[in-house]
Coordinates of all heavy atoms in Angstrom, one line a residue:
M1 N -9.8 -11.7 4.5 CA -9.3 -10.5 3.8 C -9.1 -9.4 4.8 O -8.0 -8.7 4.9 CB -10.3 -10.0 2.7 CG -9.9 -8.7 2.0 SD -8.5 -9.0 1.0 CE -8.4 -7.4 0.2
E2 N -10.1 -9.2 5.7 CA -10.0 -8.1 6.7 C -8.9 -8.4 7.6 O -8.2 -7.5 8.0 CB -11.4 -8.1 7.5 CG -11.6 -6.9 8.3 CD -12.9 -6.8 9.0 OE1 -13.9 -7.4 8.5 OE2 -12.9 -6.3 10.1
E3 N -8.7 -9.7 8.0 CA -7.6 -10.0 8.9 C -6.2 -9.8 8.3 O -5.3 -9.3 8.9 CB -7.8 -11.5 9.3 CG -7.3 -11.9 10.7 CD -7.5 -13.3 11.0 OE1 -8.7 -13.7 10.9 OE2 -6.6 -14.0 11.3
T4 N -6.2 -10.1 7.0 CA -4.9 -9.9 6.2 C -4.6 -8.5 6.2 O -3.4 -8.1 6.4 CB -5.1 -10.4 4.8 OG1 -5.6 -11.8 4.8 CG2 -3.8 -10.4 4.0
L5 N -5.6 -7.6 5.9 CA -5.3 -6.2 5.8 C -4.9 -5.6 7.2 O -4.0 -4.8 7.3 CB -6.6 -5.4 5.4 CG -7.0 -5.6 3.9 CD1 -8.2 -4.7 3.6 CD2 -5.8 -5.2 2.9
E6 N -5.6 -6.1 8.3 CA -5.3 -5.6 9.6 C -3.8 -6.1 10.0 O -3.1 -5.2 10.6 CB -6.3 -6.2 10.7 CG -7.5 -5.3 10.7 CD -8.6 -5.9 11.6 OE1 -8.3 -7.0 12.3 OE2 -9.8 -5.5 11.5
E7 N -3.4 -7.3 9.7 CA -2.1 -7.7 10.0 C -1.0 -7.0 9.2 O 0.0 -6.6 9.7 CB -2.0 -9.3 9.7 CG -2.6 -10.1 10.8 CD -2.7 -11.5 10.5 OE1 -1.9 -12.0 9.6 OE2 -3.4 -12.3 11.2
L8 N -1.3 -6.8 7.9 CA -0.3 -6.0 7.1 C -0.3 -4.6 7.6 O 0.8 -4.1 7.7 CB -0.9 -6.0 5.6 CG 0.0 -5.2 4.6 CD1 1.4 -5.7 4.6 CD2 -0.6 -5.4 3.1
F9 N -1.3 -3.9 7.9 CA -1.3 -2.6 8.4 C -0.5 -2.5 9.8 O 0.2 -1.5 9.9 CB -2.7 -2.0 8.6 CG -2.8 -0.5 8.8 CD1 -2.4 0.3 7.7 CD2 -3.2 0.1 10.0 CE1 -2.5 1.7 7.9 CE2 -3.3 1.5 10.1 CZ -2.9 2.3 9.0
A10 N -0.7 -3.5 10.6 CA 0.1 -3.5 11.9 C 1.6 -3.6 11.6 O 2.4 -3.0 12.2 CB -0.4 -4.7 12.7
V11 N 2.0 -4.5 10.5 CA 3.4 -4.6 10.2 C 3.9 -3.3 9.7 O 4.9 -2.8 10.0 CB 3.7 -5.7 9.1 CG1 5.0 -5.7 8.6 CG2 3.2 -7.1 9.7
I12 N 3.1 -2.6 8.8 CA 3.5 -1.3 8.3 C 3.7 -0.3 9.4 O 4.7 0.4 9.4 CB 2.5 -0.8 7.3 CG1 2.5 -1.7 6.0 CG2 2.7 0.6 6.9 CD1 1.4 -1.5 5.0
E13 N 2.8 -0.3 10.3 CA 2.9 0.7 11.4 C 4.1 0.4 12.3 O 4.8 1.3 12.8 CB 1.7 0.7 12.3 CG 0.5 1.3 11.6 CD -0.6 1.8 12.4 OE1 -1.1 1.1 13.2 OE2 -1.0 3.0 12.3
D14 N 4.4 -0.9 12.5 CA 5.6 -1.3 13.2 C 6.9 -0.8 12.5 O 7.8 -0.3 13.1 CB 5.6 -2.8 13.4 CG 6.9 -3.3 14.0 OD1 7.1 -3.1 15.3 OD2 7.8 -3.8 13.3
R15 N 6.9 -1.0 11.1 CA 8.1 -0.6 10.3 C 8.3 1.0 10.5 O 9.4 1.5 10.6 CB 7.9 -1.0 8.9 CG 7.9 -2.4 8.6 CD 9.2 -3.1 9.0 NE 9.2 -4.5 8.4 CZ 8.9 -5.5 9.1 NH1 8.4 -5.5 10.3 NH2 8.9 -6.7 8.5
K16 N 7.1 1.6 10.5 CA 7.2 3.2 10.6 C 7.8 3.5 12.0 O 8.6 4.5 12.0 CB 5.7 3.7 10.5 CG 5.6 5.2 10.7 CD 4.2 5.6 10.8 CE 3.9 7.1 11.2 NZ 2.6 7.5 11.2
E17 N 7.5 2.7 13.0 CA 8.0 3.0 14.4 C 9.4 2.6 14.5 O 10.2 3.4 15.1 CB 7.1 2.2 15.3 CG 7.2 2.6 16.8 CD 6.5 4.0 17.0 OE1 5.6 4.3 16.3 OE2 7.1 4.7 17.9
T18 N 9.8 1.5 14.1 CA 11.1 0.9 14.4 C 12.2 1.2 13.2 O 13.4 1.0 13.5 CB 11.0 -0.6 14.6 OG1 10.5 -1.3 13.4 CG2 10.1 -0.9 15.8
L19 N 11.7 1.5 12.0 CA 12.5 1.8 10.9 C 13.8 0.8 10.7 O 15.0 1.3 10.7 CB 13.1 3.2 10.9 CG 12.0 4.3 10.9 CD1 12.7 5.7 11.0 CD2 11.2 4.2 9.6
P20 N 13.5 -0.5 10.5 CA 14.7 -1.4 10.3 C 15.4 -1.1 9.0 O 14.7 -0.7 8.0 CB 13.9 -2.8 10.2 CG 12.5 -2.6 10.6 CD 12.2 -1.2 10.4
E21 N 16.7 -1.3 9.0 CA 17.4 -0.9 7.8 C 17.1 -1.7 6.6 O 17.2 -1.2 5.5 CB 18.9 -1.0 8.1 CG 19.5 0.2 8.8 CD 21.0 0.2 8.8 OE1 21.7 -0.6 8.1 OE2 21.5 1.0 9.7
D22 N 16.7 -2.9 6.7 CA 16.5 -3.9 5.6 C 15.1 -3.8 5.2 O 14.7 -4.8 4.5 CB 17.0 -5.2 6.0 CG 16.3 -5.9 7.1 OD1 15.6 -5.1 7.8 OD2 16.4 -7.1 7.4
S23 N 14.3 -2.9 5.6 CA 12.9 -2.9 5.3 C 12.5 -2.0 4.2 O 12.8 -0.8 4.2 CB 12.0 -2.5 6.6 OG 10.7 -2.1 6.2
Y24 N 11.8 -2.6 3.1 CA 11.4 -1.7 2.0 C 10.4 -0.6 2.5 O 10.4 0.5 2.2 CB 10.7 -2.6 0.9 CG 10.1 -1.8 -0.2 CD1 10.8 -1.0 -1.1 CD2 8.7 -1.7 -0.2 CE1 10.2 -0.3 -2.1 CE2 8.0 -0.9 -1.1 CZ 8.8 -0.3 -2.1 OH 8.2 0.5 -3.0
T25 N 9.5 -1.2 3.4 CA 8.4 -0.3 4.0 C 9.1 0.9 4.7 O 8.7 2.1 4.5 CB 7.5 -1.0 5.0 OG1 7.1 -2.3 4.4 CG2 6.4 -0.2 5.4
A26 N 10.1 0.6 5.6 CA 10.8 1.6 6.3 C 11.4 2.6 5.3 O 11.4 3.8 5.6 CB 11.8 1.0 7.2
S27 N 11.9 2.1 4.2 CA 12.6 3.0 3.2 C 11.6 4.0 2.6 O 12.0 5.1 2.2 CB 13.3 2.2 2.1 OG 12.4 1.7 1.2
L28 N 10.4 3.7 2.6 CA 9.4 4.6 2.0 C 9.1 5.7 3.1 O 8.8 6.9 2.7 CB 8.0 3.9 1.8 CG 8.1 3.0 0.5 CD1 6.8 2.2 0.5 CD2 8.2 3.7 -0.7
F29 N 9.3 5.4 4.4 CA 9.1 6.4 5.4 C 10.2 7.4 5.5 O 10.0 8.4 6.0 CB 8.7 5.8 6.8 CG 7.4 5.2 6.9 CD1 7.2 3.8 6.7 CD2 6.2 6.0 7.1 CE1 5.8 3.3 6.8 CE2 5.0 5.5 7.1 CZ 4.8 4.1 7.0
T30 N 11.4 6.9 5.0 CA 12.6 7.7 5.2 C 13.2 8.3 3.9 O 14.2 8.8 3.8 CB 13.7 6.9 5.9 OG1 14.0 5.7 5.1 CG2 13.3 6.5 7.3
H31 N 12.4 8.0 2.8 CA 12.9 8.3 1.5 C 13.1 9.8 1.3 O 12.4 10.7 1.9 CB 11.8 7.9 0.5 CG 12.3 7.7 -0.9 ND1 12.7 8.7 -1.7 CD2 12.6 6.5 -1.5 CE1 13.2 8.1 -2.8 NE2 13.1 6.8 -2.8
E32 N 14.2 10.1 0.6 CA 14.6 11.6 0.4 C 13.5 12.3 -0.4 O 13.5 13.6 -0.3 CB 16.0 11.6 -0.3 CG 16.0 11.0 -1.7 CD 17.3 11.0 -2.4 OE1 18.4 11.4 -1.7 OE2 17.5 10.7 -3.6
K33 N 12.7 11.6 -1.2 CA 11.6 12.3 -1.9 C 10.4 12.5 -1.0 O 9.4 13.1 -1.5 CB 11.1 11.4 -3.0 CG 12.1 11.3 -4.2 CD 11.4 10.5 -5.3 CE 12.3 10.3 -6.5 NZ 11.6 9.4 -7.5
G34 N 10.5 12.0 0.2 CA 9.4 12.2 1.2 C 8.2 11.4 0.7 O 8.4 10.4 0.1
E35 N 7.0 12.0 0.9 CA 5.7 11.3 0.6 C 5.7 11.0 -0.9 O 4.9 10.2 -1.4 CB 4.5 12.0 1.1 CG 4.3 13.3 0.3 CD 3.1 14.1 0.9 OE1 2.7 13.9 2.1 OE2 2.6 14.9 0.2
N36 N 6.4 11.8 -1.8 CA 6.3 11.6 -3.2 C 6.7 10.2 -3.6 O 6.3 9.7 -4.7 CB 7.2 12.6 -3.9 CG 6.5 14.0 -4.0 OD1 5.4 14.1 -3.7 ND2 7.3 15.1 -4.2
A37 N 7.6 9.5 -2.8 CA 8.0 8.2 -3.2 C 6.8 7.3 -3.3 O 6.7 6.5 -4.2 CB 9.1 7.7 -2.2
V38 N 6.0 7.2 -2.3 CA 4.9 6.4 -2.2 C 3.8 6.9 -3.2 O 3.1 6.0 -3.8 CB 4.3 6.1 -0.7 CG1 3.7 7.4 -0.2 CG2 3.3 5.0 -0.7
L39 N 3.7 8.1 -3.3 CA 2.6 8.7 -4.3 C 3.0 8.3 -5.7 O 2.1 7.9 -6.5 CB 2.6 10.2 -4.1 CG 2.0 10.6 -2.8 CD1 2.0 12.2 -2.7 CD2 0.6 10.2 -2.6
E40 N 4.3 8.3 -6.1 CA 4.7 7.9 -7.4 C 4.5 6.5 -7.6 O 4.1 6.0 -8.7 CB 6.3 8.3 -7.6 CG 6.5 9.7 -7.8 CD 8.0 10.1 -7.8 OE1 8.8 9.1 -7.9 OE2 8.3 11.3 -7.7
K41 N 4.8 5.6 -6.6 CA 4.5 4.2 -6.7 C 3.0 4.0 -7.0 O 2.7 3.1 -7.8 CB 4.9 3.5 -5.4 CG 6.3 3.1 -5.4 CD 6.7 1.9 -6.1 CE 8.2 1.6 -6.2 NZ 8.7 1.4 -7.5
L42 N 2.2 4.6 -6.3 CA 0.8 4.4 -6.5 C 0.4 4.8 -7.9 O -0.4 4.1 -8.5 CB 0.0 5.3 -5.4 CG -0.2 4.6 -4.1 CD1 -0.7 5.7 -3.1 CD2 -1.1 3.5 -4.1
G43 N 1.0 5.9 -8.4 CA 0.7 6.3 -9.8 C 1.1 5.2 -10.8 O 0.3 4.9 -11.7
E44 N 2.4 4.8 -10.6 CA 2.9 3.8 -11.5 C 2.1 2.5 -11.5 O 1.8 1.9 -12.6 CB 4.3 3.4 -11.1 CG 5.4 4.4 -11.4 CD 6.8 4.0 -10.6 OE1 6.9 2.8 -10.2 OE2 7.6 4.9 -10.4
E45 N 1.8 2.1 -10.3 CA 1.1 0.8 -10.2 C -0.4 0.9 -10.7 O -0.9 -0.1 -11.2 CB 1.1 0.2 -8.8 CG 2.4 -0.4 -8.5 CD 3.0 -0.3 -7.2 OE1 2.3 0.2 -6.3 OE2 4.2 -0.6 -7.0
T46 N -1.0 2.0 -10.6 CA -2.3 2.2 -11.1 C -2.3 2.2 -12.6 O -3.1 1.5 -13.3 CB -2.9 3.6 -10.7 OG1 -2.9 3.7 -9.3 CG2 -4.3 3.8 -11.2
T47 N -1.2 2.7 -13.3 CA -1.1 2.6 -14.8 C -0.9 1.1 -15.1 O -1.5 0.6 -16.1 CB 0.1 3.4 -15.2 OG1 -0.1 4.8 -14.8 CG2 0.3 3.3 -16.7
E48 N 0.0 0.4 -14.3 CA 0.2 -1.0 -14.6 C -1.1 -1.8 -14.5 O -1.4 -2.8 -15.3 CB 1.3 -1.6 -13.7 CG 2.7 -1.1 -14.2 CD 3.7 -1.4 -13.1 OE1 3.5 -2.1 -12.1 OE2 4.8 -0.8 -13.3
L49 N -1.9 -1.4 -13.5 CA -3.2 -2.1 -13.3 C -4.1 -1.9 -14.5 O -4.8 -2.8 -15.0 CB -3.9 -1.7 -12.0 CG -5.3 -2.2 -11.8 CD1 -5.3 -3.8 -11.6 CD2 -5.9 -1.7 -10.5
V50 N -4.2 -0.6 -15.0 CA -5.0 -0.3 -16.1 C -4.6 -1.1 -17.4 O -5.4 -1.8 -18.0 CB -4.9 1.2 -16.4 CG1 -5.5 1.5 -17.8 CG2 -5.6 2.0 -15.4
L51 N -3.2 -1.3 -17.6 CA -2.7 -2.1 -18.7 C -3.1 -3.6 -18.5 O -3.5 -4.2 -19.5 CB -1.3 -1.9 -18.8 CG -0.8 -0.5 -19.1 CD1 0.8 -0.4 -19.2 CD2 -1.3 -0.1 -20.5
A52 N -3.0 -4.1 -17.3 CA -3.4 -5.5 -17.0 C -4.8 -5.7 -17.3 O -5.2 -6.7 -17.8 CB -2.9 -5.9 -15.6
A53 N -5.6 -4.7 -16.9 CA -7.0 -4.9 -17.1 C -7.4 -4.9 -18.6 O -8.2 -5.7 -19.1 CB -7.8 -3.8 -16.4
K54 N -6.7 -4.0 -19.3 CA -6.9 -3.9 -20.7 C -6.6 -5.2 -21.5 O -7.1 -5.7 -22.5 CB -6.1 -2.8 -21.4 CG -6.7 -1.4 -21.0 CD -7.9 -1.1 -21.9 CE -8.5 0.2 -21.6 NZ -9.9 0.3 -22.2
D55 N -5.5 -6.0 -20.9 CA -5.1 -7.2 -21.5 C -5.9 -8.4 -20.9 O -5.7 -9.5 -21.3 CB -3.6 -7.5 -21.0 CG -2.7 -6.6 -21.9 OD1 -3.2 -6.0 -22.8 OD2 -1.5 -6.5 -21.4
D56 N -6.9 -8.1 -20.0 CA -7.6 -9.2 -19.4 C -6.7 -10.2 -18.7 O -7.0 -11.4 -18.8 CB -8.5 -9.9 -20.4 CG -9.9 -9.3 -20.5 OD1 -10.3 -8.8 -19.4 OD2 -10.5 -9.4 -21.5
D57 N -5.6 -9.7 -18.1 CA -4.6 -10.6 -17.5 C -5.0 -10.7 -16.1 O -4.5 -9.9 -15.2 CB -3.2 -10.0 -17.7 CG -2.1 -10.9 -17.2 OD1 -2.4 -11.8 -16.4 OD2 -0.9 -10.7 -17.7
H58 N -5.7 -11.8 -15.7 CA -6.1 -11.9 -14.3 C -5.0 -12.0 -13.3 O -5.2 -11.3 -12.2 CB -7.1 -13.1 -14.2 CG -8.4 -13.0 -14.9 ND1 -9.5 -13.7 -14.6 CD2 -8.7 -12.2 -16.0 CE1 -10.5 -13.3 -15.4 NE2 -10.1 -12.4 -16.2
E59 N -4.0 -12.8 -13.6 CA -2.9 -12.9 -12.6 C -2.3 -11.5 -12.4 O -2.0 -11.2 -11.3 CB -1.9 -13.8 -13.2 CG -1.0 -14.5 -12.2 CD 0.0 -15.5 -12.8 OE1 -0.6 -16.3 -13.6 OE2 1.1 -15.5 -12.5
E60 N -2.0 -10.8 -13.4 CA -1.3 -9.5 -13.4 C -2.3 -8.5 -12.7 O -1.8 -7.6 -11.9 CB -1.0 -9.0 -14.8 CG 0.1 -7.9 -14.9 CD 1.4 -8.2 -14.2 OE1 1.7 -9.4 -13.9 OE2 2.1 -7.3 -13.8
I61 N -3.6 -8.6 -12.9 CA -4.6 -7.7 -12.3 C -4.5 -7.9 -10.7 O -4.4 -6.9 -9.9 CB -6.0 -7.9 -12.7 CG1 -6.2 -7.5 -14.2 CG2 -7.0 -7.2 -11.9 CD1 -7.5 -7.9 -14.9
A62 N -4.4 -9.2 -10.3 CA -4.3 -9.5 -8.8 C -3.0 -9.0 -8.3 O -2.9 -8.4 -7.2 CB -4.5 -11.0 -8.6
H63 N -1.9 -9.2 -9.1 CA -0.6 -8.7 -8.6 C -0.5 -7.2 -8.4 O 0.0 -6.7 -7.5 CB 0.4 -9.2 -9.7 CG 1.9 -8.8 -9.4 ND1 2.8 -9.6 -8.6 CD2 2.6 -7.7 -9.7 CE1 3.9 -9.0 -8.6 NE2 3.9 -7.9 -9.2
E64 N -1.0 -6.5 -9.5 CA -0.9 -5.0 -9.4 C -1.9 -4.5 -8.3 O -1.5 -3.5 -7.7 CB -1.2 -4.3 -10.8 CG -0.2 -4.7 -11.9 CD 1.3 -4.4 -11.6 OE1 1.5 -3.6 -10.7 OE2 2.1 -5.0 -12.2
S65 N -3.0 -5.1 -8.2 CA -4.0 -4.7 -7.1 C -3.3 -4.9 -5.7 O -3.5 -4.0 -4.9 CB -5.2 -5.6 -7.2 OG -5.9 -5.4 -8.4
A66 N -2.6 -6.0 -5.5 CA -2.0 -6.2 -4.2 C -0.9 -5.0 -4.0 O -0.7 -4.5 -2.9 CB -1.3 -7.6 -4.2
D67 N -0.1 -4.7 -5.1 CA 0.9 -3.6 -4.9 C 0.2 -2.3 -4.6 O 0.7 -1.6 -3.7 CB 1.6 -3.4 -6.3 CG 2.8 -4.3 -6.5 OD1 3.2 -5.1 -5.6 OD2 3.4 -4.3 -7.6
I68 N -1.0 -2.0 -5.2 CA -1.7 -0.8 -4.9 C -2.2 -0.9 -3.4 O -2.0 0.2 -2.7 CB -2.8 -0.6 -5.9 CG1 -2.3 -0.3 -7.2 CG2 -3.8 0.6 -5.4 CD1 -3.3 -0.2 -8.3
V69 N -2.8 -1.9 -3.0 CA -3.3 -2.0 -1.6 C -2.2 -1.8 -0.7 O -2.3 -1.0 0.3 CB -4.1 -3.3 -1.4 CG1 -4.4 -3.5 0.0 CG2 -5.3 -3.3 -2.2
Y70 N -1.1 -2.5 -0.8 CA 0.0 -2.3 0.1 C 0.5 -0.9 0.2 O 0.7 -0.3 1.3 CB 1.2 -3.2 -0.4 CG 2.5 -2.8 0.3 CD1 2.8 -3.1 1.6 CD2 3.5 -2.1 -0.5 CE1 4.0 -2.7 2.1 CE2 4.7 -1.7 0.0 CZ 5.0 -2.0 1.4 OH 6.2 -1.6 1.9
H71 N 0.7 -0.3 -1.0 CA 1.2 1.1 -1.0 C 0.2 2.1 -0.4 O 0.5 3.1 0.2 CB 1.7 1.5 -2.4 CG 3.1 0.9 -2.7 ND1 3.2 -0.2 -3.4 CD2 4.3 1.3 -2.4 CE1 4.5 -0.5 -3.5 NE2 5.2 0.5 -3.0
L72 N -1.1 1.8 -0.7 CA -2.2 2.6 -0.1 C -2.1 2.6 1.4 O -2.3 3.6 2.1 CB -3.5 2.1 -0.6 CG -4.7 2.8 -0.1 CD1 -4.8 4.3 -0.4 CD2 -6.0 2.1 -0.6
L73 N -1.9 1.4 2.0 CA -1.9 1.2 3.4 C -0.6 2.0 4.0 O -0.6 2.6 5.1 CB -1.8 -0.3 3.8 CG -3.0 -1.1 3.6 CD1 -2.9 -2.5 4.1 CD2 -4.3 -0.4 4.1
V74 N 0.5 2.0 3.2 CA 1.7 2.8 3.6 C 1.3 4.2 3.7 O 1.7 4.9 4.6 CB 2.8 2.5 2.7 CG1 4.0 3.5 3.0 CG2 3.4 1.1 2.8
L75 N 0.6 4.7 2.7 CA 0.2 6.1 2.6 C -0.7 6.4 3.8 O -0.6 7.5 4.4 CB -0.5 6.4 1.3 CG -1.0 7.8 1.1 CD1 0.2 8.8 1.1 CD2 -1.9 8.0 -0.1
L76 N -1.7 5.6 4.1 CA -2.6 5.8 5.3 C -1.7 6.0 6.5 O -2.0 6.9 7.4 CB -3.6 4.7 5.4 CG -4.7 4.5 4.3 CD1 -5.6 3.4 4.7 CD2 -5.4 5.7 4.0
A77 N -0.8 5.0 6.8 CA 0.1 5.1 8.0 C 0.9 6.4 8.0 O 1.1 7.0 9.0 CB 1.0 3.8 8.0
M78 N 1.4 6.8 6.8 CA 2.2 8.0 6.7 C 1.4 9.2 7.1 O 1.9 10.2 7.7 CB 2.7 8.1 5.2 CG 3.8 9.0 5.0 SD 4.4 8.9 3.3 CE 5.5 7.5 3.3
K79 N 0.1 9.2 6.8 CA -0.7 10.4 7.0 C -1.5 10.2 8.3 O -2.5 11.0 8.6 CB -1.8 10.5 5.8 CG -1.1 10.8 4.6 CD -0.5 12.2 4.6 CE 0.2 12.7 3.3 NZ 0.9 13.9 3.4
D80 N -1.2 9.2 9.1 CA -1.9 9.0 10.4 C -3.4 8.8 10.2 O -4.2 9.2 11.1 CB -1.6 10.1 11.4 CG -0.2 10.2 11.8 OD1 0.4 9.1 12.0 OD2 0.4 11.3 12.0
V81 N -3.7 8.1 9.1 CA -5.1 7.7 8.9 C -5.2 6.3 9.3 O -4.4 5.4 9.0 CB -5.6 7.8 7.4 CG1 -7.0 7.3 7.2 CG2 -5.4 9.3 6.9
E82 N -6.2 5.9 10.2 CA -6.3 4.5 10.7 C -7.1 3.6 9.7 O -7.9 4.2 8.9 CB -7.1 4.5 12.0 CG -6.4 5.2 13.2 CD -5.1 4.5 13.5 OE1 -5.0 3.3 13.3 OE2 -4.2 5.2 14.0
L83 N -6.8 2.3 9.7 CA -7.6 1.4 8.8 C -9.1 1.5 9.1 O -9.9 1.4 8.3 CB -7.0 0.0 9.1 CG -7.3 -1.0 8.0 CD1 -7.0 -0.6 6.6 CD2 -6.6 -2.3 8.4
S84 N -9.4 1.8 10.4 CA -10.8 1.8 10.8 C -11.5 3.1 10.2 O -12.6 3.1 10.0 CB -10.9 1.9 12.3 OG -10.2 3.0 12.9
D85 N -10.7 4.2 9.9 CA -11.3 5.3 9.1 C -11.7 4.9 7.8 O -12.8 5.3 7.3 CB -10.2 6.4 9.0 CG -9.8 7.0 10.4 OD1 -10.7 7.0 11.3 OD2 -8.7 7.5 10.5
L86 N -10.9 4.1 7.1 CA -11.3 3.6 5.8 C -12.5 2.7 5.8 O -13.4 2.8 5.1 CB -10.0 2.9 5.2 CG -10.2 2.1 3.8 CD1 -10.8 3.0 2.8 CD2 -9.0 1.4 3.5
E87 N -12.4 1.9 6.8 CA -13.6 0.9 7.0 C -14.9 1.7 7.3 O -15.9 1.4 6.7 CB -13.2 0.0 8.3 CG -14.0 -1.3 8.2 CD -13.5 -2.2 9.3 OE1 -12.5 -1.9 10.0 OE2 -14.3 -3.2 9.6
A88 N -14.8 2.7 8.2 CA -16.0 3.5 8.5 C -16.5 4.2 7.3 O -17.8 4.3 7.1 CB -15.6 4.6 9.6
E89 N -15.6 4.7 6.4 CA -16.0 5.4 5.1 C -16.8 4.4 4.3 O -17.8 4.7 3.7 CB -14.7 5.9 4.4 CG -15.0 6.7 3.2 CD -15.8 8.0 3.5 OE1 -15.5 8.7 4.5 OE2 -16.6 8.4 2.6
L90 N -16.2 3.2 4.1 CA -16.9 2.2 3.3 C -18.2 1.8 3.9 O -19.3 1.7 3.1 CB -16.0 1.0 3.1 CG -14.7 1.2 2.2 CD1 -13.8 0.0 2.3 CD2 -15.1 1.5 0.8
E91 N -18.2 1.6 5.2 CA -19.5 1.2 5.9 C -20.6 2.2 5.7 O -21.7 1.9 5.5 CB -19.2 1.0 7.4 CG -18.6 -0.3 7.8 CD -19.4 -1.6 7.5 OE1 -20.7 -1.4 7.6 OE2 -18.9 -2.6 7.1
A92 N -20.2 3.5 5.7 CA -21.2 4.6 5.6 C -21.8 4.6 4.3 O -22.9 5.2 4.1 CB -20.5 5.9 5.9
R93 N -21.2 3.9 3.3 CA -21.8 4.0 1.9 C -22.6 2.8 1.6 O -23.3 2.7 0.6 CB -20.6 3.9 0.9 CG -19.7 5.1 1.0 CD -18.5 5.0 0.1 NE -17.6 6.1 0.3 CZ -16.6 6.4 -0.6 NH1 -16.4 5.6 -1.6 NH2 -15.8 7.4 -0.3
R94 N -22.8 1.9 2.6 CA -23.6 0.6 2.4 C -25.1 1.0 2.4 O -25.5 1.9 3.1 CB -23.3 -0.4 3.4 CG -21.9 -1.0 3.2 CD -21.6 -2.0 4.3 NE -22.4 -3.2 4.2 CZ -22.3 -4.2 5.1 NH1 -21.4 -4.1 6.1 NH2 -22.9 -5.4 4.9
Ligands
PRT1 N1 3.1 -6.3 0.7 C1 4.2 -5.8 0.5 C2 4.7 -5.3 -0.7 N2 4.1 -5.3 -1.9 C3 4.9 -4.7 -2.7 N3 6.2 -4.5 -2.1 C4 7.4 -4.0 -2.7 O1 7.0 -2.9 -3.4 C5 8.1 -2.7 -4.4 C6 7.3 -2.5 -5.7 O2 8.1 -1.8 -6.4 P1 8.3 -2.0 -8.0 O3 7.0 -1.8 -8.6 O4 9.4 -1.2 -8.5 O5 8.7 -3.5 -7.9 P2 8.6 -4.6 -9.1 O6 8.4 -5.9 -8.5 O7 9.7 -4.4 -10.1 O8 7.2 -4.1 -9.7 P3 6.1 -5.0 -10.5 O9 6.7 -5.2 -11.9 O10 5.9 -6.1 -9.7 O11 4.9 -4.0 -10.5 C7 8.9 -4.0 -4.5 O12 10.2 -3.7 -3.9 C8 8.1 -5.0 -3.6 O13 9.0 -5.8 -2.8 C9 6.0 -4.9 -0.8 N4 6.8 -4.8 0.3 C10 6.4 -5.3 1.4 N5 5.1 -5.8 1.6 C11 4.6 -6.3 2.9 O14 5.3 -5.5 3.9 C12 5.9 -6.5 4.9 C13 7.1 -5.8 5.4 O15 8.1 -5.7 4.4 P4 9.5 -5.0 4.7 O16 9.1 -3.7 5.0 O17 10.3 -5.2 3.4 O18 10.1 -5.7 5.9 C14 6.2 -7.8 4.1 O19 6.1 -8.9 4.9 C15 4.9 -7.8 3.2 O20 3.9 -8.3 3.9

């Protein structure tokens, strides 16, 4: 899991740097709505996760959770927050 998150975050940071035209991630960094594009996605997907949880739909819960984690990592990269900052915060709570 940790490796998956680190690899995904590295890809996101690369997309932020290189802004390929065909990249969904890059489109979030260049969106005309600015950071609101990713913030809106996080809001929508959180609502979808709540509905999936209410339905006890395990597959959908995993799907929406993955959407949220991905968009959360995009937000961290957008705000120049490192993955290690998130990790340190979680570690401090143990
Ligand atoms: N993990 C993701 C990822 N999760 C979600 N998404 C995109 O996020 C968008 C979600 O928006 P929507 O909710 O409107 O899409 P949807 O499928 O209709 O929504 P649901 O019904 O599924 O909730 C879709 O376009 C997905 O393709 C992602 N896009 C990219 N990644 C990762 O980012 C990497 C780089 O991707 P690119 O930037 O596209 O090259 C990929 O290799 C993946 O590892």
Side-chain angles (χ1 to χ4, degrees):
M1 178 67 171
E2 196 179 328
E3 212 175 303
T4 308
L5 289 183
E6 277 172 10
E7 282 175 15
L8 177 56
F9 196 63
V11 171
I12 290 169
E13 290 203 305
D14 175 74
R15 297 295 193 267
K16 177 186 173 183
E17 196 67 33
T18 60
L19 297 178
E21 273 191 19
D22 59 349
S23 160
Y24 171 75
T25 311
S27 77
L28 289 172
F29 285 102
T30 58
H31 205 285
E32 60 183 10
K33 287 184 181 174
E35 68 184 24
N36 284 344
V38 70
L39 294 176
E40 283 172 15
K41 277 279 173 227
L42 279 168
E44 283 167 22
E45 277 143 15
T46 300
T47 303
E48 285 168 11
L49 176 62
V50 169
L51 295 176
K54 287 285 180 192
D55 286 345
D56 267 334
D57 185 339
H58 289 206
E59 202 176 316
E60 199 57 20
I61 289 170
H63 180 91
E64 297 305 339
S65 298
D67 274 353
I68 290 173
V69 169
Y70 162 75
H71 285 92
L72 175 63
L73 294 184
V74 172
L75 180 64
L76 295 186
M78 200 173 272
K79 295 294 180 182
D80 295 322
V81 177
E82 294 297 330
L83 198 52
S84 56
D85 295 332
L86 171 59
E87 204 175 344
E89 185 64 38
L90 291 172
E91 282 293 328
R93 296 177 186 189
R94 286 174 75 181

